[in-house]
Amino acid sequence: MCRGGRRLPGLIPVSGVVRSVAELVAAARGGERRAVARLLTLVERGGALADEVAERSWSALGGTPDESADGRRAHVIGVTGPPGAGKSTLVAGWMIRLVERGCRPAVLAVDPSSPLTGGAILGDRVRMADATAAGVFIRSIATRGHAGGLALAVPGMVRVLELGGFDPVVVETVGVGQVEVDVASAADTVLVVVTPGMGDAVQANKAGLLEVADLFAVNKSDRPDAADVRRDLELMLDLSGLTGHHREGVNDRPSITSTVATTGVGLGELADATETHLVKLSAAGILGARREERWRSEVRSHLDRLLLDSSHHLVNGLIRGSLMTGDAASYGTSPAAVARGLALLLAEQMTEHLDGVVEDDR
Amino acid sequence: MSKSPEEVGGFKNHPPIRVVLAKLGLDGHDRGLKVVARMLRDGGMEVVYLGLRQTTETIIDAVEQEDADVVGISMLNAGHLTLGPRMVGALADAGLDVPVVIGGIVPDEDLPALVDAGVAGVLGPGASADEVVACVVAAADSRG
Ligand code: B12
Ligand SMILES: Nc1nc2c(ncn2[C@@H]2O[C@H](COP(=O)(O)OP(=O)(O)OP(=O)(O)O)[C@@H](O)[C@H]2O)c(=O)[nH]1
Ligand SMILES: [Mg+2]
């Protein structure tokens, strides 16, 4: 399908005026929502402009990627849990309470892209209409081919929101059957939302849940078997305490808050628990370490994507070339041995290919 | 639908078109809106779905925060002659250069008024997936 005449990525008209990245960053620092939104778009698209946004954001935030000072940085809270657990409803109600407390929260809500068409239906805002009206900044994000419950651009987008003076920044992950661990390396605090009626799911994902959770919300506590879920969870946490299965650094058992997102029950308590967690991280001297770790894992996901994209392309070529024409026979007949032989070829081709990619992005 | 992301303008070569989809006011017919959401997703677009009972204000907040390329409104309650132009005007007042596409029950004789008001496209019952996608793509391109 022809899609001619799209905006050039270098020109950034906002309200009829074309603004540079530097101008947008300055406007975003002043709290202008439209500039924040446009910077989010640039970061999401990737490439040279996204790099410029990242560099200017770091310096505007008065630091370097790995600095541990938490001056102008926001509290980044990841919210994960199974599909339909009530994450969006919960986040919306909770953020409204934070606005009432004088905070300026923002939400990044991630939903999956279709692997077939690249399209996506981003539905989290449906539950967040009241939060929008209360002034919460909400941005929907499609995963755009990234696995792990987040999108590649999320950490960069968090930075733009920090620049815009938003605090906290909440990241709602894709509703996943398995609790995805990506969020653990993208946030200061991870909230896992569980609900009654999925006792088995909780049971099955026990290890994953316990590894990522700093806090739990037992949502839909208006349901009859909510007490059971809470008890199961407490039991699991007690056991994990014995085996030391919690996230390193904070020795406390994750707190559990019972909530009814639709009516607001427990949301104030949840807000308190989350703030307490940040204070504890800070007091234990590990907030900076977590943030440094966040930067490293951001580098890592970009590296993964770069390698995956180029190898995918090249592997297709190798399979079509060497393998189908029989050239690969010299590596033997064991599939694994042939693969190792091809991997060496791949490595050579990758170097060339990546040179090209890096040039293109300049 | 087995078009690759490249063919449909997906995430690889072009950034996907981002569309805010909503129903304005008390019109409860949301079946068409859901169908259209899927058609646009299958056409490689990112659909920010707002659903029922939106106001021009909630739509404008969403367009601004989502940096949307197009607004799609579905109207089956005969409110299009009032609400269509009001939506276009509200976006313009907010300084947002974002085209509006309308679908639903719109009699032919109402088309000129909507076009005059600056509505970028109008589709009715039975519109195919290709027509829906083409209409939104054309609207997105009209921004220049
Ligand atoms: C199903 C239906 C209902 C269902 C709605 C269920 C639901 N959740 O959606 C129920 C039973 C609840 C209902 C109730 C009412 N309905 Co009714 N309903 C219909 C009916 C039969 C079909 C609508 C439908 O779903 N079509 C299927 C979808 C896929 O088609 P679509 O919405 O037109 O969407 C397509 C295109 O229009 C276009 N499109 C639509 N939106 C968009 C948006 C964008 C951005 C784009 C690009 C394209 C696009 O693409 C879609 C795919 O082709 C129509 C008659 C008809 N033939 O349209 C009456 C109809 C819409 N209803 C009508 C009326 C009057 C009512 C009621 C007021 C009372 C009544 N008489 O029944 C109530 C009001 C409810 C309310 N709160 O608003 C009238 C409206 C008259 C008018 N506009 O002048 C109609 C036209 C029937 C008639 N001939 O009188 N209704
Ligand atoms: N009874 C009850 N229903 C709730 C509660 N919280 C949310 N819901 C309902 O649960 C459904 C799903 O809520 P969402 O907020 O969309 O859930 P989600 O986890 O964000 O869903 P995904 O983003 O699709 O994974 C909606 O119908 C909500 O109204 C609650 O505390 N009690
Ligand atoms: Mg959600």
Side-chain angles (χ1 to χ4, degrees), chain A:
Chain A
M1 176 156 310
C2 165
R3 306 179 62 243
R6 299 279 292 146
R7 280 172 295 161
L8 290 174
L11 300 173
I12 309 157
V14 176
S15 313
V17 187
V18 177
R19 293 194 279 185
S20 67
V21 170
E23 286 166 321
L24 285 168
V25 165
R29 270 196 91 177
E32 192 204 295
R33 287 170 178 244
R34 208 162 292 176
V36 169
R38 185 52 53 86
L39 287 171
L40 292 175
T41 303
L42 295 179
V43 170
E44 197 176 22
R45 287 182 185 173
L49 283 175
D51 292 348
E52 188 183 344
V53 176
E55 267 155 35
R56 289 187 187 277
S57 306
W58 285 125
S59 51
L61 285 169
T64 54
D66 50 354
E67 61 129 26
S68 47
D70 39 78
R72 256 184 80 92
R73 312 295 299 278
H75 185 196
V76 182
I77 305 166
V79 177
T80 191
K87 298 181 291 296
S88 300
T89 315
L90 186 81
V91 166
W94 166 24
M95 292 307 114
I96 291 171
R97 272 157 190 77
L98 292 187
V99 170
E100 287 162 4
R101 292 183 184 184
C103 302
R104 197 161 180 260
V107 178
L108 295 175
V110 188
D111 275 315
S113 298
S114 153
L116 282 181
T117 65
I121 296 178
L122 311 171
D124 295 310
R125 275 195 103 96
V126 172
R127 314 267 173 229
M128 298 191 181
D130 291 346
T132 306
V136 179
F137 186 102
I138 301 164
R139 177 68 169 238
S140 312
I141 308 176
T143 51
R144 299 194 181 179
H146 194 66
L150 293 182
L152 181 64
V154 161
M157 294 172 89
V158 166
R159 222 152 33 232
V160 167
L161 291 168
E162 292 183 294
L163 183 74
F166 293 100
D167 187 15
V169 176
V170 172
V171 182
E172 178 188 334
T173 72
V174 169
V176 276
Q178 295 263 309
V179 171
E180 306 268 354
V181 289
D182 255 21
V183 67
S185 52
D188 300 321
T189 301
V190 175
L191 171 72
V192 174
V193 183
V194 297
T195 60
M198 36 178 269
D200 289 347
V202 172
Q203 206 57 28
N205 286 312
K206 178 155 83 172
L209 282 174
L210 294 172
E211 270 163 35
V212 299
D214 295 305
L215 307 163
F216 284 96
V218 177
N219 191 38
K220 308 200 184 182
S221 284
D222 49 332
R223 297 261 178 91
D225 44 346
D228 295 348
V229 180
R230 193 172 172 134
R231 205 192 44 238
D232 285 356
L233 206 52
E234 270 165 3
L235 200 67
M236 275 159 43
L237 289 173
D238 285 344
L239 291 173
S240 81
L242 291 175
T243 56
H245 240 295
H246 41 66
R247 288 180 74 189
E248 47 87 28
V250 180
N251 288 318
D252 292 4
R253 198 173 94 160
S255 73
I256 306 176
T257 310
S258 296
T259 59
V260 183
T262 39
T263 62
V265 170
L267 297 185
E269 200 186 318
L270 182 63
D272 295 340
T274 320
E275 274 166 31
T276 305
H277 183 255
L278 180 69
V279 172
K280 275 190 196 156
L281 279 180
S282 196
I286 50 182
L287 184 60
R290 270 199 188 189
R291 287 174 174 174
E292 282 172 31
E293 183 51 38
R294 217 156 83 197
W295 184 76
R296 280 191 290 272
S297 67
E298 188 182 350
V299 172
R300 164 138 209 175
S301 11
H302 281 280
L303 184 58
D304 283 347
R305 166 58 71 92
L306 209 58
L307 294 179
L308 204 69
D309 280 357
S310 24
S311 68
H312 183 77
H313 174 81
L314 295 172
V315 165
N316 282 344
L318 280 175
I319 298 286
R320 250 181 279 113
S322 311
L323 204 52
M324 307 251 276
T325 56
D327 292 357
S330 63
Y331 302 122
T333 47
S334 150
V338 174
R340 279 194 293 274
L342 290 181
L344 291 176
L345 276 181
L346 178 68
E348 282 169 26
Q349 296 183 4
M350 286 271 268
T351 315
E352 272 171 53
H353 185 80
L354 285 173
D355 278 347
V357 171
V358 172
E359 273 310 302
D360 283 353
D361 266 0
R362 283 285 136 237

